[in-house]
Amino acid sequence: MKKLILPAMAIIATAAGATAPLTYPTAPADGTTYEAFGITVDDRFRPLENDTAAATLAWVEAENKVTQDYLSQIPFRQAIRDRLTVLNNYAKTGLPYKEEDGKYYWYFNDGLRNQSVLYRGATPYDKNAEVFLDPNTLSEDGTVALTGVFQSKDGKHTAYTISRSGSDWTEIYVMDTATRQLLPDHIEWAKFTGASWDGDGFYYSAYPRPEAGKEFSNANEFHTVYYHRLGTPQSEDRVVYENRKEPLHFHQADVTEDGRFLLVQGGGQGFGNSLYVKDLSNPASEWVTIENGMDIVLSVIDTTPDGHLLVYTSADAPLYRLVEIDPANPARGNWKEIIPQDDSAVLTAVYPTAGKLIALYDRDASNHAYLLSADGERICEIEFPTYGAASFSASKKNPEVFYAFSSFTYPSAIYAYDTDKHASTLVHTTEVAGLNPDDYVTEQVFYTSKDGTKVPMFITYKKGLKKDGTNPVYLYGYGGFNVTLNPGFSASRMFWLENGGIYAQANLRGGAEYGDAWHEAGTKMHKQNVFDDFISAGEYMVSEGWTTPRLLTIEGGSNGGLLVGACVNQRPDLFRVAIPRVGVMDMMRYHLFTIGWNWASDYGTADDSREMAQYLLGYSPLHTIKNDGTPYPAILVTTADHDDRVVPAHSFKYAAALQAANTGSEPKLIRIDSKAGHGAGKPISKQLDEWMDIYSFVFHNLGRTPATAK
């Protein structure tokens, strides 16, 4: 291995971020204000909500020119892209799983293909495997992503879902499984759905066709479950379930593995979901309500031979449990507990196997797995090598179990697990050129937040690094929607680590790290706890001698973009660089676009009450930007033109407000990607371009030149 050409994180001769003063484009504005319970809200950049208007398109073009002109002057930008390309050019292999046709399937990417390819073989990782479906052939630029594959119960047909340009809109196609020939069936304007087979057709969920020109911004209403019979046009699809009284509810259908029950989950207005069951073996059966509200989680993982449901749930168990429910007697008092709540860890998933169960837990944000008997008795732990995250491929029809494990500096390794011998066997390792995991250390700390709460955080860095205050830190957080940030591998992140940077990942309230109470402590009128936790994480890294505010970068995406925007406004002195990605920046109007209304269970809305409106306005990134000369960090906002999850208007309005405010001389730029969405399915080429720009911006504004070759 060659030595680094330049010393890691070498200091450049010029001052941090020194460039000519920037001139920003004038954003479309109309001086709009509106009232929320008597509170006047400034919304002067309202015209930017119309993302197809000529004025908005011209502004986007002008903003991208300013950003690209700025980034193009950074001398090591292309060298970063080259190094990221090398780091990401490694073989990526997915978990194998056995399908209804008796064949094994797995995803594989030999290095830099924009999308991973789905293979099929007679055995797992069969050397004579054939390409079953290659999404790279569906577009010239890799912007069509394969988002799901669903085989019929008899194995004869396979439905697959795709997304174009990162949008949440889904199309469904059907192919002959044996020949891979495409059938004429084609479903449009589906969303948040798979294809669940029953007989010679499948169930799926879709919205009405959206208004032309507003496909990626208008609110989505009336999510409906349909049944599509093969060989018929979509216009003839039968409505199976709808709720016209609740236009903002999601409805997702699934058929149990044994084909007996049709399940419909409802969501959108609570932390959990409703659950309705229909017995398909009885044509005259009615819908049975297991749960009508949306305050608890209910997820059916399997059925029993006597027709009961195995259900993963938070009901009477804020750390979650597994219960057995008889659809004929669904009252909660009749439920039978199979896996009780573990008071020391959060049950996150249960996988049925041949005669046994595998239970996956989060303990202090790291995964632990156990093999259980069919009645829930713990047999043994499935040992993992370090802090990390695991996913399993298992089925009660097949005795074979596989799992993938990864951590911050350990790329995914795949193991076979023998449920009789209780032993793991390594079947696939991932090699990343130049990466030696033993060169790095990951430790977990528990720092104190503003109100005294202990918050866990993972810190990863090179061995031998000293607490001398000279270390650049990249602090990442999310803190919302019951999402746990587990340790995980990123080849692009290795670029930061190999250059002597520290990566810190804080497990903020609002996530699921410690169950429902931890989540709820970061929601609605408690949202400030999340910001306090993140700010305290930065203060901890400084007080412990890891770094200084001049070397501290923060980043987060979506709800994490909101986190970054709010924390910058509250503590601009604590950070040197901020990267809010695809963030929710307008807390007063977020619920009016696409599926934004679905986030009300975490945020509340400005329509709820004067108190709620005032609270939201008090931290909304768009509305709390200082305009008094207070120096702000260098900020690079990122969004994309096809983001119909968090519409780009959030980032547009926020960037325009930043550029119009008096926040010091550091750059306030926005990077607007084309033919991309919220992040899922983004081709590798676009990922590399984005990380090139982010790292170029970060290093330049830290005043450091990275080493870019090995």
Side-chain angles (χ1 to χ4, degrees):
M1 183 176 70
K2 295 181 180 178
K3 293 184 179 180
L4 299 180
I5 291 177
L6 297 171
M9 305 295 292
I11 299 175
I12 61 175
T14 58
T19 55
L22 293 170
T23 299
Y24 301 112
T26 300
D30 61 6
T32 294
T33 62
Y34 61 94
E35 299 288 317
F37 295 99
I39 304 166
T40 301
V41 182
D42 183 350
D43 197 21
R44 68 187 67 185
F45 296 111
R46 176 78 65 86
L48 287 171
E49 291 181 359
N50 188 349
D51 56 3
T52 59
T56 300
L57 294 174
W59 178 83
V60 166
E61 183 178 0
E63 286 286 352
N64 270 339
K65 185 177 188 309
V66 170
T67 298
Q68 291 305 314
D69 285 350
Y70 176 92
L71 294 171
S72 68
Q73 296 177 48
I74 298 174
F76 45 76
R77 183 189 185 205
Q78 184 57 47
I80 288 178
R81 177 63 155 79
D82 294 342
R83 180 61 187 150
L84 289 170
T85 300
V86 171
L87 284 168
N88 281 276
N89 191 12
Y90 67 94
K92 307 162 187 72
T93 303
L95 277 170
Y97 62 95
K98 196 172 187 178
E99 265 290 8
E100 301 292 349
D101 63 350
K103 301 291 182 66
Y104 290 87
Y105 292 76
W106 63 93
Y107 287 92
F108 179 72
N109 192 320
D110 59 7
L112 295 173
R113 289 179 184 265
N114 278 317
Q115 306 287 344
S116 293
V117 179
L118 183 61
Y119 283 82
R120 173 172 64 181
T123 60
Y125 307 132
D126 184 350
K127 293 182 179 179
N128 297 315
E130 64 176 336
V131 172
F132 182 70
L133 191 54
D134 183 359
N136 296 287
T137 65
L138 302 179
S139 64
E140 293 183 359
D141 56 4
T143 56
V144 173
L146 179 63
T147 55
V149 178
F150 311 90
Q151 203 165 106
S152 61
K153 304 293 185 185
D154 59 10
K156 292 182 179 179
H157 298 101
T158 299
Y160 64 89
T161 56
I162 66 164
S163 164
R164 299 184 189 275
S165 301
S167 169
D168 282 336
W169 287 116
T170 295
E171 296 176 52
I172 305 176
Y173 291 86
V174 183
M175 58 196 295
D176 181 286
T177 303
T179 65
R180 295 179 288 133
Q181 292 298 309
L182 203 62
L183 276 61
D185 303 78
H186 180 209
I187 306 298
E188 296 181 295
W189 306 116
K191 210 172 205 183
F192 313 123
T193 186
S196 194
W197 288 88
D198 177 31
D200 59 353
F202 55 83
Y203 301 96
Y204 69 94
S205 302
Y207 284 107
R209 181 181 293 272
E211 178 187 345
K214 300 293 183 182
E215 294 89 347
F216 305 109
S217 58
N218 274 6
N220 298 144
E221 297 180 338
F222 301 110
H223 203 223
T224 302
V225 176
Y226 296 89
Y227 180 78
H228 174 76
R229 189 175 303 280
L230 291 183
T232 64
Q234 183 176 357
S235 60
E236 295 181 9
D237 289 353
R238 172 170 54 93
V239 173
V240 173
Y241 189 93
E242 64 178 340
N243 186 346
R244 304 300 295 182
K245 295 180 180 179
E246 298 290 350
L248 302 185
H249 285 186
F250 297 126
H251 300 108
Q252 295 176 317
D254 194 19
V255 177
T256 55
E257 191 172 278
D258 61 6
R260 177 168 177 180
F261 295 105
L262 172 62
L263 314 169
V264 170
Q265 288 186 341
Q269 292 191 321
F271 298 144
N273 59 278
S274 57
L275 179 61
Y276 310 100
V277 180
K278 191 178 184 66
D279 189 345
L280 295 175
S281 67
N282 178 8
S285 66
E286 300 292 332
W287 286 103
V288 173
T289 299
I290 305 297
E291 175 65 33
N292 194 43
M294 296 183 182
D295 294 326
I296 62 172
V297 171
L298 291 155
S299 178
V300 178
I301 67 156
D302 199 7
T303 53
T304 66
D306 54 354
H308 293 183
L309 306 172
L310 289 181
V311 181
Y312 167 80
T313 184
S314 64
D316 304 316
L319 300 182
Y320 297 79
R321 61 180 178 147
L322 185 72
V323 299
E324 182 180 320
I325 300 175
D326 179 1
N329 298 285
R332 198 176 298 187
N334 298 325
W335 295 3
K336 176 184 176 182
E337 189 167 76
I338 304 299
I339 303 177
Q341 174 177 277
D342 183 333
D343 292 337
S344 68
V346 182
L347 180 65
T348 60
V350 180
Y351 303 89
T353 70
K356 295 184 177 72
L357 299 169
I358 292 172
L360 189 66
Y361 290 88
D362 263 332
R363 185 175 291 115
D364 293 329
S366 188
N367 281 179
H368 296 261
Y370 298 88
L371 181 67
L372 283 62
S373 65
D375 57 4
E377 291 296 320
R378 190 171 288 186
I379 298 171
C380 64
E381 183 170 3
I382 302 172
E383 299 284 350
F384 299 146
T386 184
Y387 301 114
S391 58
F392 283 79
S393 171
S395 169
K396 67 180 183 180
K397 294 181 179 180
N398 188 354
E400 293 173 297
V401 173
F402 298 92
Y403 69 88
F405 178 85
S406 65
S407 190
F408 293 114
T409 57
Y410 290 83
S412 180
I414 296 174
Y415 298 82
Y417 185 75
D418 190 315
T419 59
D420 292 325
K421 296 180 180 179
H422 312 157
S424 296
T425 302
L426 181 65
V427 296
H428 177 78
T429 57
T430 300
E431 298 292 335
V432 178
L435 170 60
N436 180 4
D438 293 336
D439 291 341
Y440 300 92
V441 175
T442 294
E443 61 177 279
Q444 187 175 42
V445 299
F446 294 83
Y447 64 89
T448 304
S449 191
K450 183 177 181 179
D451 64 357
T453 300
K454 291 292 184 181
V455 180
M457 178 166 61
F458 293 104
I459 303 174
T460 302
Y461 54 90
K462 267 188 176 181
K463 282 182 179 178
L465 185 144
K466 297 178 180 179
K467 293 184 179 181
D468 58 6
T470 66
N471 306 300
V473 169
Y474 198 105
L475 175 61
Y476 179 81
Y478 186 78
F481 297 98
N482 226 19
V483 172
T484 296
L485 291 186
N486 296 122
F489 182 75
S490 164
S492 295
R493 189 188 301 135
M494 293 310 303
F495 179 76
W496 178 259
L497 292 171
E498 72 182 17
N499 270 283
I502 298 171
Y503 176 73
Q505 183 168 291
N507 296 103
L508 316 171
R509 279 175 285 186
E513 284 81 354
Y514 296 104
D516 286 351
W518 190 257
H519 170 221
E520 292 171 15
T523 63
K524 294 186 176 179
M525 301 293 284
H526 304 295
K527 187 66 177 177
Q528 183 60 40
N529 287 336
V530 185
F531 311 139
D532 290 342
D533 289 355
F534 200 53
I535 289 169
S536 296
E539 292 174 335
Y540 174 88
M541 296 302 292
V542 173
S543 66
E544 288 294 306
W546 290 109
T547 193
T548 68
R550 295 289 298 173
L551 294 171
L552 182 53
T553 295
I554 55 172
E555 187 244 306
S558 194
N559 174 72
L562 157 64
L563 171 73
V564 170
C567 289
V568 164
N569 289 343
Q570 293 181 21
R571 285 295 307 277
D573 61 303
L574 185 58
F575 315 113
R576 176 68 186 123
V577 182
I579 313 291
R581 303 174 71 180
V582 293
V584 185
M585 302 312 219
D586 183 351
M587 297 308 298
M588 302 301 286
R589 287 173 58 78
Y590 76 84
H591 57 297
L592 303 178
F593 303 100
T594 61
I595 61 157
W597 46 263
N598 177 53
W599 313 330
S601 58
D602 248 52
Y603 297 149
T605 77
D607 295 336
D608 292 346
S609 66
R610 178 181 173 85
E611 183 184 30
M612 192 74 250
Q614 205 154 25
Y615 191 83
L616 290 168
L617 190 62
Y619 74 77
S620 177
L622 171 64
H623 301 97
T624 54
I625 296 168
K626 300 182 188 299
N627 190 22
D628 57 5
T630 298
Y632 263 42
I635 300 175
L636 177 63
V637 183
T638 73
T639 188
D641 61 356
H642 279 66
D643 190 345
D644 50 356
R645 185 83 57 87
V646 179
V647 294
H650 282 279
S651 294
F652 290 177
K653 291 164 70 175
Y654 170 69
L658 268 178
Q659 293 173 356
N662 181 7
T663 58
S665 60
E666 302 305 328
K668 313 297 186 304
L669 300 174
I670 181 169
R671 182 187 189 277
I672 306 158
D673 209 348
S674 62
K675 297 190 73 176
H678 200 58
K682 182 177 289 189
I684 287 181
S685 58
K686 281 186 171 290
Q687 294 179 44
L688 293 176
D689 287 343
E690 184 173 17
W691 277 112
M692 169 186 68
D693 288 346
I694 289 173
Y695 280 140
S696 296
F697 186 84
V698 170
F699 279 99
H700 182 60
N701 283 285
L702 292 180
R704 302 293 181 99
T705 296
T708 53
K710 275 199 171 186

